[in-house]
Amino acid sequence: MANRLDNQSLKYTGKVQPKPGERDSKTGALLYPYLPSLALIEAVNLAIYLERPLLLKGEPGCGKTQLAQALTYELNLPFEAWHIKSTSQARDGLYTFDAVGRLRDAQLAAAGHMVKNEDIVLISNPETYVKLGPFGRAFLNQQRTIVLIDEIDKADIDFPNDLLLELDEKRFFIEETGQEVRSKTAPIVLITSNDEKDLPDAFLRRCLFHYVEFPDTDRLRGIICSVFPNSPQVLVEHAVTRFEVLRKTMQEDKGKAGKKVSTSELIDWFKILQRHSLDETIAQLKTKLPFPGILLKSREDQIRYVDQHRER
Amino acid sequence: MNVEELPLFELFTHLREAGLPLGVGEYQLVLRALQAEYGKSDRAALARLCKTLWVKSNEDERIFDYHFEQVVGPIYATQVSSTNANTDSERSERSEGFNIRRYLIFGTAILGMGILVFGPYWRMPSSTVQQGNNTNTSIDVGDSDAGDIPKGMVTNAGGNTNAEGVTNAEESDEDKSTQEDDDNSKSDEEKSRNRPIVWSLVGVSALTAVLLLIRQLRKRRDTRTDLTKEEETGPTLPAELTQQMEDEIEVVKAVRRVFNRKDDLTSHLFQTTSDYLPLSRRQMKQSWRRLRRLVREGPATELDLEATIKHIGQQGILLKPVFVPRRINRTELLILVDQDGSMVPFHSLAHRMVETVLQGSRLAKAEIYYFHNCPNEHLYQDPNHLIAETVHQVLFFLRPQYTGVLIISDAGAARGGFNPERVELTAQFLDKLKQRIRHIVWLNPMPQPRWLGTTADEISYLVPMFELDRNGLDAAIKVLRGQASHH
């Protein structure tokens, strides 16, 4: 019952933004505002209400990973991040069992180095060596935790299949101790994927899906203005226009296949642009592409888009 | 907007049939969300809700848009035009009257044709039969739109030389009646000679008349529906979609959209199946995923607990835990695709196979090469046969113990001939392959009954050959894994 009340009260509006200069309490990193689209806000609220994971796909740099941090900031809930590597196993997200540590302690105890009685009790109890992973911690938390599974398509194909029971019934079984861990509250799971490999159907069925589109001109301007609130409007206009022209040309040339300039690159680029003098920068924006190394990441792209503009 | 009136279940079943991975739980989720006031504001919100819950990839989104338009679109269209309620009722009345008129015309057309067929059997009162036809036309004169069509048919019954009776329908009635009077004065012998010509002309004109009738009716109905649906244009398939053979939405469906749903006459002429190619992308990917051989290779990172304990038992002390490398899929696949010539109709199927192997399977390596008709010295890296490599070079870079070879070709079954030279060349090539690689399998896009008596039949004795459908692909994967016995 308490869960249902919780669900109804938790709503993501996308309007609560950190103030400029605010830092994260745990890591100390600078916090930036995140402006989601309406469809994304709807999808997040659906995922929170229906207690299903939300799968996010989109171009690299469109802000899939950042959504989790923004959501944590607004709802003020605990946050667990699990960044998947190609060697990740599903079990590591739930718990890890330090078998080697237990062997070592047993050896030391047998050799007589550990003499305290309570240590021996600890060693004989396998629960001492169980370390919970992000999901495990989320399950045991009293509040609903936001769990981010980042870049799930990097892992092996069995990886999403191994997580099915945990996502569905919200419980898992620790084999070494025989314990069963049930979740008291359903975690809010956000999963990001770069779409390099396909995910199995049984996994997709349990998730809600949202494709993070590239923002339109107004939203781009809004993003720049909110991240850099003190920059002159004229510069924002010119920079965004130049960026969109470049992106459109890349879209025509490459279609869906190649890498196009993304939102995060735009933010980095603007950070440099606003440091220099205003008139000079605007003049440069009109004639050529200043600081191309921030936007264009291959020699081909640089030849095509920087020099081409110079010829015009 | 009432939730119960929405045809969500119909949409759900359509999507399931189209191949989306949905279960009853997903349908219940949508209901739950609707109860919580999500997606109720307007049609776009409902579409977004269903998309978030049911659509899991971009290809599925196109399928969803199409079906959503089909199922939910009309309901919103009628609800939107609530201000045009009066004109709607008028239109419905007019449509009813229209239907009656259409049936009347059709009935008289059949009646006229029946009389013409049986007319010559009643040779004695032949003149009275034609007078009977004239009286029939006088009844139809009242129909302003299509009255000219039965008249056109009747004039042809007189055995006139001009077969385009309908185009002459614009001419005045008096000319026709005088020509019929002239026909009455023709001798019976001439009539008997002209009779087969008469019947063929009658048949042709009747068919053209019926088709023109249908087209005219449809034109009227389209102009009417264009008025109601000014804002709903429906999701137009982008141009690339109809050129490449995309999953599940195929060309027949695009044609079907031209005919209105209410047009019962023509909707039965087209059959819609959910997929044009025998295998959907999902099925192919599932089959490819079965092709795996997990081998422990690479850096030793995984702890082997049992071996460590055994080691401690032998040594008496824990010196170093034992590590083993992780298991990874080591299967490599070499796909040889026959391109151009008799394989042109199967290009989309082969393309889909190649695409799913590169993206959806989890093979260690997949190499694609192209050839034409039969591979001999050179294989090509691109479909246009521009970048060539010798067979020796291709085989050199493969790891023989993990590699399988899959050949996609019709082997002569498409054109249906027997070419002993082709059999010889293919046998030589297969011998060369078999020296290095153990598992070779051949997939033929033509159905098995068509292989008999062609080159394909001979080649099927040299190498396991399967038809390119679900069962065939599964059997081929079994052979590549080394699990099936050679047939």
Side-chain angles (χ1 to χ4, degrees):
Chain A
M1 282 300 285
N3 284 350
R4 282 291 143 83
L5 294 173
D6 265 341
N7 291 350
Q8 283 167 7
S9 59
L10 283 177
K11 276 235 189 250
Y12 177 60
T13 57
K15 297 204 173 45
V16 177
Q17 305 292 352
K19 298 176 205 31
E22 196 174 329
R23 287 186 181 266
D24 189 36
S25 49
K26 279 191 208 150
T27 60
L30 268 176
L31 289 173
Y32 290 107
Y34 184 82
L35 286 104
S37 64
L38 278 174
L40 181 55
I41 298 176
E42 257 183 34
V44 171
N45 283 325
L46 266 176
I48 295 175
Y49 177 71
L50 295 169
E51 296 181 10
R52 289 278 181 121
L54 176 64
L55 175 64
L56 295 165
K57 280 193 192 171
E59 284 176 28
C62 61
K64 306 186 286 285
T65 316
Q66 266 209 308
L67 169 68
Q69 285 152 1
L71 189 62
T72 317
Y73 184 82
E74 175 166 336
L75 298 179
N76 210 8
L77 292 172
F79 176 64
E80 297 280 350
W82 184 15
H83 299 277
I84 306 290
K85 301 193 204 340
S86 57
T87 54
S88 296
Q89 303 282 316
R91 224 182 60 162
D92 298 340
L94 305 170
Y95 71 96
T96 48
F97 187 76
D98 190 9
V100 182
R102 193 175 184 213
L103 275 174
R104 178 203 63 220
D105 289 346
Q107 287 250 285
L108 290 173
H113 287 265
M114 296 238 174
V115 283
K116 291 183 229 168
N117 279 341
E118 52 266 25
D119 283 340
I120 296 180
V121 171
L122 274 177
I123 295 169
S124 13
N125 184 8
E127 281 178 34
T128 328
Y129 297 93
V130 170
K131 202 170 121 184
L132 290 175
F135 257 109
R137 289 193 293 265
F139 281 177
L140 291 181
N141 207 325
Q142 297 293 337
Q143 280 179 302
R144 288 187 79 173
T145 320
I146 296 174
V147 180
L148 167 71
I149 304 180
D150 206 15
E151 299 190 358
I152 198 170
D153 56 330
K154 272 205 276 196
D156 203 36
I157 189 178
D158 293 323
F159 180 89
N161 282 332
D162 290 340
L163 278 179
L164 291 177
L165 180 69
E166 289 75 23
L167 287 178
D168 236 359
E169 300 186 27
K170 312 212 184 352
R171 63 180 173 89
F172 64 92
F173 190 67
I174 301 180
E175 286 166 26
E176 284 81 355
T177 61
Q179 266 183 321
E180 195 192 44
V181 177
R182 266 184 196 277
S183 77
K184 302 194 173 79
T185 53
I188 302 170
V189 184
L190 295 172
I191 308 176
T192 64
S193 164
N194 280 325
D195 213 11
E196 277 169 29
K197 292 185 207 156
D198 289 336
L199 297 170
D201 282 350
F203 177 78
L204 288 177
R205 195 177 65 75
R206 286 169 174 79
C207 304
L208 310 188
F209 173 75
H210 186 263
Y211 186 83
V212 182
E213 297 279 357
F214 190 76
D216 58 358
T217 319
D218 290 332
R219 262 189 69 211
L220 272 179
R221 267 194 231 126
I223 291 170
I224 297 286
C225 288
S226 59
V227 177
F228 304 101
N230 301 323
S231 55
Q233 198 63 22
V234 165
L235 183 61
V236 172
E237 286 289 331
H238 277 99
V240 169
T241 322
R242 184 71 190 88
F243 179 81
E244 293 222 298
V245 165
L246 174 64
R247 185 170 160 98
K248 207 165 125 215
T249 338
M250 287 180 101
Q251 182 102 15
E252 279 163 10
D253 290 340
K254 294 192 187 184
K256 279 195 183 163
K259 179 192 177 306
K260 297 181 271 290
V261 279
S262 62
T263 327
S264 61
E265 284 160 346
L266 170 64
I267 295 176
D268 292 337
W269 190 53
F270 195 82
K271 205 192 272 189
I272 302 294
L273 284 179
Q274 59 153 4
R275 277 172 178 261
H276 295 76
S277 77
L278 183 63
D279 299 325
E280 199 185 297
T281 318
I282 292 180
Q284 275 184 341
L285 279 174
K286 283 192 192 152
T287 52
K288 64 174 179 131
L289 192 69
F291 311 110
I294 306 179
L295 292 175
L296 304 169
K297 305 289 166 69
S298 75
R299 182 86 189 110
E300 274 175 19
D301 284 346
Q302 292 213 347
I303 295 172
R304 205 185 291 175
Y305 299 111
V306 175
D307 296 345
Q308 193 188 54
H309 197 83
R310 206 179 285 153
E311 275 164 19
R312 272 192 236 140
Chain B
M1 199 208 73
N2 207 346
V3 175
E4 283 95 46
E5 284 171 6
L6 289 175
L8 282 177
F9 194 69
E10 199 184 322
L11 176 63
F12 177 72
T13 33
H14 279 284
L15 290 174
R16 263 187 63 89
E17 280 162 18
L20 269 66
L22 297 175
V24 181
E26 278 68 49
Y27 180 68
Q28 289 175 336
L29 267 187
V30 169
L31 293 179
R32 254 181 77 193
L34 282 172
Q35 281 169 358
E37 308 294 327
Y38 286 100
K40 271 197 172 169
S41 43
D42 62 348
R43 174 202 151 122
L46 179 66
R48 277 201 306 266
L49 168 70
C50 291
K51 259 193 226 183
T52 310
L53 293 177
W54 287 347
V55 170
K56 314 287 175 169
S57 71
N58 279 344
E59 298 142 7
D60 292 349
E61 196 175 323
R62 289 193 275 253
I63 300 171
F64 175 85
D65 283 336
Y66 173 73
H67 283 287
F68 190 79
E69 193 53 46
Q70 286 283 310
V71 177
V72 182
I75 295 180
Y76 271 96
T78 54
Q79 287 186 355
V80 159
S81 63
S82 59
T83 53
N84 305 333
N86 293 338
T87 48
D88 271 345
S89 59
E90 280 174 17
R91 282 199 201 102
S92 60
E93 282 173 11
R94 245 189 290 149
S95 71
E96 282 176 30
F98 213 67
N99 280 340
I100 292 171
R101 204 187 286 168
R102 178 176 63 157
Y103 289 137
L104 194 67
I105 292 167
F106 207 50
T108 47
I110 291 176
L111 191 67
M113 274 165 58
I115 290 173
L116 292 167
V117 167
F118 291 111
Y121 291 113
W122 308 330
R123 195 106 50 82
M124 303 308 283
S126 59
S127 52
T128 54
V129 166
Q130 290 195 334
Q131 281 171 17
N133 286 344
N134 283 341
T135 53
N136 276 345
T137 55
S138 62
I139 296 170
D140 296 342
V141 159
D143 293 338
S144 51
D145 341 332
D148 43 359
I149 294 171
K151 262 191 249 161
M153 282 170 42
V154 168
T155 52
N156 279 331
N160 289 334
T161 49
N162 39 357
E164 303 90 44
V166 183
T167 53
N168 292 336
E170 263 65 59
E171 290 175 26
S172 59
D173 296 347
E174 292 86 33
D175 292 344
K176 295 297 166 205
S177 50
T178 49
Q179 277 180 329
E180 283 174 34
D181 288 337
D182 289 338
D183 288 338
N184 285 337
S185 59
K186 267 193 197 169
S187 61
D188 280 336
E189 292 168 8
E190 280 190 21
K191 273 189 191 159
S192 60
R193 246 184 289 139
N194 291 341
R195 206 181 304 144
I197 304 171
V198 168
W199 287 355
S200 55
L201 285 177
V202 160
V204 165
S205 61
L207 280 171
T208 49
V210 167
L211 286 173
L212 282 172
L213 173 78
I214 295 169
R215 203 193 297 168
Q216 203 176 24
L217 294 175
R218 210 184 319 122
K219 219 189 300 173
R220 287 174 177 272
R221 187 165 298 114
D222 278 349
T223 54
R224 183 166 54 88
T225 53
D226 280 345
L227 294 172
T228 52
K229 287 194 171 188
E230 68 253 358
E231 79 245 6
E232 336 267 33
T233 46
T236 48
L237 289 176
E240 324 92 58
L241 202 67
T242 47
Q243 279 162 19
Q244 302 170 24
M245 211 42 81
E246 285 283 350
D247 233 327
E248 277 97 358
I249 298 184
E250 24 67 284
V251 183
V252 175
K253 275 215 171 107
V255 173
R256 187 178 173 222
R257 213 186 286 140
V258 170
F259 300 104
N260 202 314
R261 236 203 199 151
K262 295 185 207 136
D263 199 348
D264 300 323
L265 260 181
T266 47
S267 62
H268 294 311
L269 294 175
F270 290 91
Q271 235 186 12
T272 49
T273 54
S274 65
D275 195 359
Y276 181 69
L277 297 178
L279 277 170
S280 73
R281 278 219 168 79
R282 215 163 248 126
Q283 285 169 333
M284 283 183 190
K285 283 180 197 163
Q286 284 167 354
S287 297
W288 293 130
R289 278 180 206 154
R290 242 175 275 138
L291 193 58
R292 57 208 293 210
R293 198 170 310 166
L294 296 173
V295 174
R296 292 197 182 272
E297 262 194 14
T301 50
E302 212 174 278
L303 173 70
D304 188 349
L305 199 54
E306 285 180 12
T308 310
I309 293 173
K310 205 186 273 183
H311 189 70
I312 295 174
Q314 287 167 351
Q315 302 275 341
I317 191 171
L318 171 67
L319 283 174
K320 198 171 74 167
V322 177
F323 286 101
V324 284
R326 284 176 56 241
R327 280 156 49 119
I328 38 181
N329 186 8
R330 267 278 156 227
T331 313
E332 296 177 19
L333 190 62
L334 173 67
I335 303 187
L336 303 177
V337 180
D338 187 357
Q339 188 90 357
D340 289 335
S342 54
M343 282 292 285
V344 167
F346 307 112
H347 274 183
S348 52
L349 182 58
H351 177 71
R352 192 188 271 185
M353 292 276 282
V354 164
E355 228 185 337
T356 46
V357 157
L358 292 176
Q359 236 249 341
S361 72
R362 299 277 177 144
L363 300 170
K365 194 161 72 152
E367 302 264 348
I368 322 278
Y369 285 96
Y370 299 89
F371 63 94
H372 182 59
N373 270 345
C374 60
N376 40 21
E377 279 303 316
H378 291 277
L379 296 171
Y380 301 93
Q381 279 182 15
D382 66 315
N384 296 321
H385 305 287
L386 288 176
I387 309 169
E389 274 187 35
T390 60
V391 176
H392 177 75
Q393 272 178 321
V394 171
L395 293 177
F396 185 73
F397 288 108
L398 299 172
R399 299 170 56 135
Q401 65 268 42
Y402 299 126
T403 311
V405 177
L406 176 79
I407 307 177
I408 303 178
S409 166
D410 66 314
R415 282 199 249 237
F418 181 76
N419 189 349
E421 216 180 275
R422 187 169 172 173
V423 177
E424 187 60 39
L425 283 172
T426 314
Q428 282 174 7
F429 178 73
L430 287 172
D431 283 335
K432 230 188 286 184
L433 273 187
K434 278 181 192 164
Q435 284 169 7
R436 291 266 297 176
I437 295 168
R438 227 173 110 194
H439 301 295
I440 308 176
V441 78
W442 193 295
L443 281 176
N444 197 328
M446 294 294 293
Q448 194 159 1
R450 295 283 298 267
W451 301 349
L452 194 60
T454 64
T455 324
D457 202 26
E458 285 299 315
I459 297 180
S460 68
Y461 291 119
L462 301 169
V463 68
M465 187 184 284
F466 301 100
E467 195 183 322
L468 192 47
D469 64 348
R470 188 87 208 261
N471 293 332
L473 185 57
D474 287 345
I477 301 285
K478 264 202 196 138
V479 170
L480 285 174
R481 292 182 68 177
Q483 279 178 351
S485 55
H486 199 109
H487 72 291

